[in-house]
Amino acid sequence: MEANESGFEIIQEQGAWLIRMWWPTGAITGGPQRITVEAAGDSAARDVARGISTTVLRRLDLAAAMKLAESAPELQQGVQEAAGKVEEAGSSAGLLLANGGVSEIYLAMLAATYKTMADMGAPAPVPWLARLIGRRPETVKDHLKRARREGYLTTVAGKAGGELTEKATETLSRVIKSDDDQD
């Protein structure tokens, strides 16, 4: 495995070929985002001349590569740091809800936290978010629907997450600015 500033590369050798699989830094939530196949340096010219066969591609072991990538200490540290930030944001959303009800800032914070969880590849973001804010998952789903309806979060058909809207980022930046003014 090789790491660089933007991701991890796992290399497998299949006969005369090197298969390079690349994942971006962050949680491993699926297969690689890039695969390249090239002749290994010590390959026989006759094997390379035959080209890449379907056998080479079938022998590609994505599961083993993913396990290796997931076990990288650098990756684990990054995932733990991201999870810690999500926990903090979710707790903040819970405090906003407890102190101000379902407000603009709560909906924006909820949407931002949910988006981050989905982007991390969290397998069940709603139950995790519900635990963080101290509400039932059904309540969180209703609040997320409201956040979408009121224009804080877009919808991605069939997938968790979405994109924060300009309204959400403006709401969050106003709060951050007012916190900076108080310091």
Side-chain angles (χ1 to χ4, degrees), residues 1 18 20 30 42 59 78 92 100 108 114 146 148 181 183:
M1 174 172 37
L18 284 181
R20 299 176 182 274
D42 58 351
R59 290 184 181 158
S92 295
Y114 177 67
R146 185 169 171 184
R148 291 182 197 284
D181 292 345
D183 289 340

Side-chain angles (χ1 to χ4, degrees), residues 88-111:
E88 196 175 302
S91 296
S92 295
L95 287 172
L96 288 167
L97 178 62
N99 294 331
V102 183
S103 63
E104 281 188 357
I105 184 59
Y106 164 72
L107 291 173
M109 180 66 88
L110 181 74

